[in-house]
Amino acid sequence: MEIKWLPYIPTYIALCEEKSIAGAANRLGCSNAHASRQLRQLEDILSVQLIQRTTRQFNLTHDGINFYKQVKSLFEKAENINESLCDTDQIAGKLRVAASASFGSLILTEPLAELSRRYPELDIEVIFTEKPLDLIESGFDVAFYLTETPPEGYVGHFLRARYCKPFAHKRYIEEHGGISHPTELVKYRHILYRNTEFTLDKWTFTSENAKEAVKVKLQSAFSVNLVGAMVDAMMCGTGVAMLDEFALSKLSTSQRKNLVQLLPQWQTDPILPLYILYPKREHLPKRTKLLVEYFKEHLQSV
């Protein structure tokens, strides 16, 4: 028999003990709206009002108190069972991973496949997307995202920064000539990364001896929201693209020979650091710990 209200119990216990939507949301690492929606759905399933709430009051009803006492006992027993399972040495179960499509499709597939080979009892599901996700609400264990500000409610491990440089196919440079200063980038067509949140068109170049810093705004001739597509367009001779070594990692040796790095004596500031994120939890499953440590070691050595 399916017990539909079971998934809502952690939220309900947090609401009862924190005595506010905001307190429960902070404890669970989710949004206020998610906590409120969980309570509403639980009451709909049970057809019982559990909490009497107004703008100033937050009180359990008689039914709500009785329900809390029962599910609290049930949940404590379930946690004991869960902890005993987590204490075993077996690495098994489902791992749901969300990742930036631009980064993840280039870098994550092979190491995740290797992890799956090493631990055949793991069931790994990977979703590549450029849209930020609520990991808790969407049911993900871990996420890999390029971000300046890891969201609240998550543990974020910095993996590495991205240092971009201007690259072009040598055929394009032969046709349009070389340059020696960042201000000369205006003479080229540019392939830009653009998504619904931002466009990477403003760059600061610093000379190797740090004696000069130049700000440049690149004019778009071709823009996409996937780094892999930027690389493809660049290799077709469309123009110049600001890329880091992650983006070029899948090019063959012969393709790299046709690549020209412009302004090698100039550096750019690091952008969109790469983080591995997972929801804050008191007891993290061993399979999640394994994946986090595996990629902390793997990606910092790439």
Side-chain angles (χ1 to χ4, degrees), residues 6-302:
L6 272 177
Y8 300 89
I9 295 311
T11 302
Y12 180 65
I13 290 174
L15 287 165
C16 293
E17 294 176 350
E18 298 295 332
K19 296 182 172 56
S20 75
I21 295 288
N26 184 58
R27 172 169 158 178
L28 296 169
C30 66
S31 66
N32 290 3
H34 176 69
S36 180
R37 184 165 57 251
Q38 289 269 294
L39 173 59
R40 186 170 62 252
Q41 291 172 344
L42 175 60
E43 290 179 328
D44 287 343
I45 290 170
L46 297 173
S47 298
V48 172
Q49 184 172 7
L50 301 170
I51 296 175
Q52 182 71 45
R53 52 204 182 277
T54 66
T55 54
R56 296 189 177 185
Q57 292 186 324
F58 191 92
N59 299 313
L60 272 67
T61 64
H62 179 73
D63 289 328
I65 293 171
N66 288 334
F67 188 63
Y68 166 74
K69 290 178 180 178
Q70 295 178 70
V71 297
K72 177 67 174 178
S73 175
L74 175 66
F75 195 64
E76 286 175 348
K77 291 177 181 177
E79 280 192 320
N80 290 334
I81 295 171
N82 187 60
E83 286 178 14
S84 68
L85 289 173
C86 289
D87 284 340
T88 66
D89 291 329
Q90 185 180 20
I91 302 296
K94 183 148 190 160
L95 268 173
R96 298 193 75 226
V97 180
S100 161
S102 290
F103 157 77
S105 59
L106 290 169
I107 301 298
L108 290 184
T109 304
E110 289 183 10
L112 280 172
E114 172 61 19
L115 190 67
S116 179
R117 186 191 67 77
R118 292 186 194 177
Y119 299 93
E121 297 302 314
L122 278 179
D123 177 8
I124 301 175
E125 178 186 0
V126 189
I127 302 296
F128 293 124
T129 176
E130 292 299 337
K131 181 180 178 182
L133 297 170
D134 184 324
L135 301 189
I136 298 171
E137 189 166 355
S138 302
F140 286 98
D141 299 292
V142 172
F144 295 85
Y145 276 111
L146 303 166
T147 178
E148 300 282 0
T149 54
E152 291 186 11
Y154 297 91
V155 178
H157 290 289
F158 171 78
L159 294 175
R160 63 175 296 170
R162 298 172 70 229
Y163 291 87
C164 292
K165 303 166 187 176
F167 288 93
H169 194 281
K170 71 176 184 180
R171 182 175 65 249
Y172 183 84
I173 300 304
E174 289 169 356
E175 293 173 356
H176 296 83
I179 60 173
S180 58
H181 195 272
T183 55
E184 297 177 273
L185 284 166
V186 296
K187 73 185 245 185
Y188 294 137
R189 290 166 54 87
H190 291 279
I191 304 161
L192 301 184
Y193 178 87
R194 187 196 308 271
N195 64 26
T196 56
E197 304 296 325
F198 58 85
T199 301
L200 295 180
D201 59 349
K202 298 180 181 70
W203 299 86
T204 298
F205 288 83
T206 305
S207 59
E208 197 172 54
N209 56 17
K211 290 184 177 180
E212 185 182 5
V214 180
K215 293 184 177 181
V216 178
K217 187 176 189 300
L218 306 178
Q219 296 300 314
S220 172
F222 188 90
S223 62
V224 289
N225 69 341
L226 290 176
V227 174
M230 291 177 66
V231 176
D232 292 341
M234 178 197 63
M235 296 305 293
C236 288
T238 304
V240 175
M242 296 293 296
L243 299 166
D244 73 343
E245 286 300 321
F246 270 152
L248 304 174
S249 62
K250 295 300 182 182
L251 294 180
S252 66
T253 303
S254 60
Q255 288 175 317
R256 289 296 293 252
K257 288 180 180 178
N258 287 320
L259 207 57
V260 176
Q261 180 190 332
L262 301 163
L263 305 172
Q265 307 304 316
W266 293 78
Q267 311 265 342
T268 60
D269 295 333
I271 63 163
L272 297 178
L274 174 63
Y275 279 84
I276 183 169
L277 308 171
Y278 55 88
K280 287 182 180 177
R281 290 176 183 161
E282 188 174 349
H283 302 289
L284 197 65
K286 283 196 172 184
R287 57 183 177 272
T288 305
K289 289 181 183 177
L290 170 74
L291 184 140
V292 170
E293 293 304 318
Y294 174 77
F295 274 99
K296 282 168 65 176
E297 180 180 350
H298 174 77
L299 292 175
Q300 286 176 341
S301 65
V302 172

